[in-house]
């Protein structure tokens, strides 16, 4: 789609968008990237598991180990008739590229790949090891993607120094935010058990809703922590509630709720669980709690990587003080930070991610690639 250069970020992004990589299907995206990396001297390895594609491409040896990370999988398109154009036929209109994955995060992967191509072909020799870690299981359960690959690589004794994740991090302008941390995510499927009966004979039943509602009210009103300079206070949100048979004259014998914590570095998952159980034990004689934990909170403190990223953004965009951001949902950075790396997320504007008519500004693609290139140069120079 860009006649000027067959290796442009726009063209590579379009090639990736055209592949229907609905999570966890990579649809050949990783091999598209690998075909660009092999000629640059990268060793290509696939750490696939359970239908998930995990590309591990490395060049060089020793430390520092710098990882460029991302995912090829996408979320469902939603109703196709609501899209202005086919989400898998990349379309440029008025300087904007439309397609599922345009912002989240095929443009980031394309920009990283082109940045490395440009850097290495210029003769710049990066010290240590440069690696790509790309998965097709970030938008899904995230069990057999980066998390699985990290376990395998840890078993080899590998420890990363730096990791740049190409998630859509910018808010209003390219480079106005660097994601330097994420909150942890802890959730629970809760089932409170009572005893079904006729509403006219409440003494013969035990209303599960009456048990659960005051417990939830206490949990909603609880101040879990005060947050800190980097994170807001931990939040508790009920996302689902279900009870009853559908009849208006039956006391429900069970009530179910789903809730989630997004928690800061001021709290620990086990402590949050214990506090919840203490409340439930007071209000609910019988209940079942099925917990899931999708990531610890992490924070990359100012250091070599953040300073390199700041300098790169300033050089390319003129933004000298990008916001150091810790909000938003989860990303694969949650698996890279505990592995030992300084981690940042830098990518395009995130306003359209997961939406109908997902898009990215064409004018941002090459500058994003330049940011990645300048970040790698700066890391090597510091």
């Amino acid at each position: 789609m860009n006649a000027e250069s067959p290796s442009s970020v726009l063209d590579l992004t379009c090639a990736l968008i055209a592949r229907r990589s609905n999570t966890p299907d990579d649809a050949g995206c990783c091999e598209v990237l690998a075909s660009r990396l092999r000629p640059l001297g990268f060793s290509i390895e696939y750490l696939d598991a359970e239908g998930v594609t995990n590309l591990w491409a490395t060049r060089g040896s020793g430390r520092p180990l710098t990882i460029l990370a991302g995912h090829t999988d996408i979320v469902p398109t939603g109703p196709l008739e609501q899209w202005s154009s086919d989400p898998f036929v990349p379309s440029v209109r008025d300087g904007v590229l439309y397609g599922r994955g345009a912002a989240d995060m095929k443009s980031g992967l394309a920009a990283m790949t082109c940045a490395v191509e440009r850097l290495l072909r210029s003769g710049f020799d990066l010290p240590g090891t440069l690696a790509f870690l790309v998965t097709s299981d970030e938008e899904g359960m995230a069990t057999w993607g980066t998390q699985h690959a990290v376990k395998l690589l840890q078993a080899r004794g590998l420890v990363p120094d730096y990791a740049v994740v190409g998630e859509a991090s910018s808010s209003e302008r390219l480079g106005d935010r660097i994601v330097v941390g994420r909150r942890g995510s802890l959730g629970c499927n809760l089932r409170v058990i009572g005893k079904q009966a006729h509403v006219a004979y409440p003494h013969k039943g035990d209303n599960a809703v009456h048990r659960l509602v005051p417990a939830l009210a206490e949990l909603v009103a609880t101040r879990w922590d005060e947050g800190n300079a980097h994170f807001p206070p931990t939040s508790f949100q009920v996302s689902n509630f279900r009870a009853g048979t559908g009849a208006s004259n039956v006391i429900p014998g069970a009530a179910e709720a789903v809730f989630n914590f997004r928690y800061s570095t001021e709290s620990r998952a086990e402590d949050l669980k214990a506090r919840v159980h203490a409340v439930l034990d007071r209000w609910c004689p019988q209940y079942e709690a099925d917990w899931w934990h999708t990531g610890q909170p992490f924070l990359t403190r100012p250091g070599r990587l953040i300073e390199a990223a700041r300098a790169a953004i300033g050089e390319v965009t003129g933004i000298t003080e990008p916001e150091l951001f810790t909000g938003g949902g989860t990303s694969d950075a949650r698996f890279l930070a505990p592995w030992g790396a300084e981690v940042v997320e830098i990518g395009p504007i995130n306003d359209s991610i997961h939406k109908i008519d997902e898009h990215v500004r064409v004018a941002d693609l090459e500058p994003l690639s330049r940011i990645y290139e300048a970040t790698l140069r700066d890391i090597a120079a510091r």
Side-chain angles (χ1 to χ4, degrees), residues 32-74:
V32 170
L33 300 176
S35 69
R36 303 284 284 261
L37 298 175
R38 286 190 185 95
L40 302 174
F42 279 82
S43 297
I44 303 300
E45 182 180 4
Y46 285 98
L47 307 174
D48 300 353
E50 300 297 323
V52 174
T53 302
N54 297 308
L55 171 66
W56 176 244
T58 58
R59 185 182 189 275
S61 61
R63 299 184 75 171
L65 169 55
T66 303
I67 297 175
L68 301 177
H71 63 89
T72 61
D73 59 320
I74 56 172

